[in-house]
Amino acid sequence: MAVDSIAPPKASWADEIEEEEDAFQPMAFTDENGIKTVIEYRENEDGRKVKVTRKIRSKLVTEHVNKTVAQRKKWAKFGEEEGNKPGPDVATTTIGESIPLKLGSSHGKNADTAAEEEAHDKITSQIKPKNIVCRICKGEHFTSKCPYKDTMAPLDEITSSLEAVKLDGDMESGEGGAGGPNKYTPPHLRNKGSAAAGDSMRDNKRDDSATLRVTNLSEDVTDNDIYDLFNRFGSIARVYLARDRETGLCKGFAFVSFADKSDAERAQQAINGYGYDNLILRVEFARSS
């Protein structure tokens, strides 16, 4: 009697692929101490199968987050994760580095904290150094950098002189009321005659006959450069260099006053047409206004 042997069924290539995929699936379990162990199988660079074991200790940390963030964590899972337990699944989710974000807002601060911050800001404002004030024009710059240092007296001196003149006028008016009729006397005529006033005005008028006007100067020229250029011809009484109010650079002209007019004439003849700083200087006597 012949017995027919049954051949075993052939294995499907799809089953082999599923077995390979199942072999690489990570396995995770938690022990009694709360330490979670994750075992994974991977292929290294040489094509060999290696086993990777990770142990994770979970620690519950309570922190205050934004209400919107807290509500988002309570959303129900959807898609392939629908119905799973809360929290990320290592099989489908890659957990990156946790970056905390703290928003600088004053919302929620109590009264004590707000009072402390206000007191700290007040102390800081008191400690803050005062602005630099010029003694001449009261601007926010150093006195040596003031554009009016050669043309204007300090405001404090002007104020004190005006107060002194006013005080003298009050005293003179009081003396006039005691000794005779109260009659107004102009300030320039008090204790002086008309002739004396005229003489004083003529004496106070500045003599510009020995003053030279230098033009075509470069913007890099300084007061010391002008002084060194003209000092060899005689005694210099005053040097004025016109500067730009904002940049502080030379505006292209200057005035040089000599003590002697003969020295000014020699300087005018020598420097007029002289090349200085790649420019040809022009020197002439200043015109009296």
Side-chain angles (χ1 to χ4, degrees):
M1 181 178 179
V3 178
D4 296 335
S5 60
I6 301 174
K10 295 182 179 180
S12 175
W13 60 271
D15 296 337
E16 295 178 359
I17 295 177
E18 290 180 358
E19 292 178 359
E20 293 179 359
E21 291 180 354
D22 294 340
F24 285 92
Q25 287 294 331
M27 296 182 295
F29 58 89
T30 306
D31 58 8
E32 65 276 2
N33 296 325
I35 299 176
K36 184 177 181 180
T37 305
V38 180
I39 301 176
E40 296 178 343
Y41 294 92
R42 301 177 183 175
E43 287 188 2
N44 58 10
E45 297 177 355
D46 299 333
R48 296 181 179 180
K49 186 178 180 180
V50 295
K51 179 182 178 181
V52 180
T53 303
R54 293 184 299 165
K55 292 186 177 181
I56 304 172
R57 181 188 295 272
S58 300
K59 183 179 179 181
L60 181 61
V61 178
T62 304
E63 60 179 355
H64 297 280
V65 298
N66 191 279
K67 293 182 179 180
T68 306
V69 177
Q71 293 175 0
R72 190 182 300 119
K73 290 183 177 181
K74 297 180 181 179
W75 288 355
K77 293 187 176 182
F78 56 91
E80 296 182 358
E81 291 292 321
E82 185 177 1
N84 292 345
K85 61 181 181 179
D89 188 359
V90 294
T92 57
T93 306
T94 302
I95 302 176
E97 182 182 358
S98 178
I99 302 177
L101 177 62
K102 295 182 179 180
L103 302 178
S105 174
S106 60
H107 180 71
K109 294 183 179 179
N110 53 17
D112 297 338
T113 306
E116 291 179 0
E117 293 183 355
E118 184 178 356
H120 181 268
D121 296 341
K122 185 176 181 180
I123 294 174
T124 304
S125 61
Q126 293 177 355
I127 297 176
K128 184 179 180 181
K130 297 182 179 179
N131 295 332
I132 300 173
V133 179
C134 175
R135 295 193 302 270
I136 297 177
C137 65
K138 301 303 179 182
E140 295 183 357
H141 52 259
F142 291 100
T143 306
S144 59
K145 302 294 184 180
C146 181
Y148 307 104
K149 64 179 181 179
D150 296 329
T151 58
M152 187 176 71
L155 293 179
D156 295 338
E157 296 181 3
I158 296 176
T159 304
S160 60
S161 61
L162 291 176
E163 292 179 354
V165 171
K166 183 178 179 181
L167 182 61
D168 293 342
D170 295 340
M171 294 177 61
E172 291 176 1
S173 61
E175 293 175 358
N182 188 4
K183 184 178 179 182
Y184 173 76
T185 304
H188 66 280
L189 296 179
R190 294 170 186 170
N191 296 329
K192 296 180 181 180
S194 59
D199 294 341
S200 63
M201 293 180 64
R202 285 193 296 270
D203 294 340
N204 293 334
K205 187 177 181 180
R206 187 175 62 186
D207 185 12
D208 293 334
S209 60
T211 300
L212 299 178
R213 185 175 186 269
V214 187
T215 56
N216 205 25
L217 294 170
S218 66
E219 63 180 9
D220 298 329
V221 174
T222 62
D223 296 14
N224 294 332
D225 296 337
I226 300 298
Y227 185 86
D228 295 339
L229 184 63
F230 288 89
N231 187 33
R232 53 185 172 177
F233 298 102
S235 178
I236 296 178
R238 176 175 172 267
V239 173
Y240 172 75
L241 180 65
R243 297 179 180 273
D244 187 85
R245 183 175 301 179
E246 296 180 356
T247 62
L249 299 176
C250 176
K251 297 176 67 174
F253 66 94
F255 292 93
V256 181
S257 299
F258 284 87
D260 192 357
K261 186 177 181 180
S262 60
D263 297 336
E265 293 176 351
R266 290 191 297 107
Q268 191 271 338
Q269 295 176 1
I271 303 300
N272 188 28
Y274 178 75
Y276 186 78
D277 201 4
N278 298 326
L279 294 174
I280 303 300
L281 300 182
R282 181 180 179 182
V283 183
E284 58 186 356
F285 281 93
R287 301 176 181 177
S288 301
S289 55

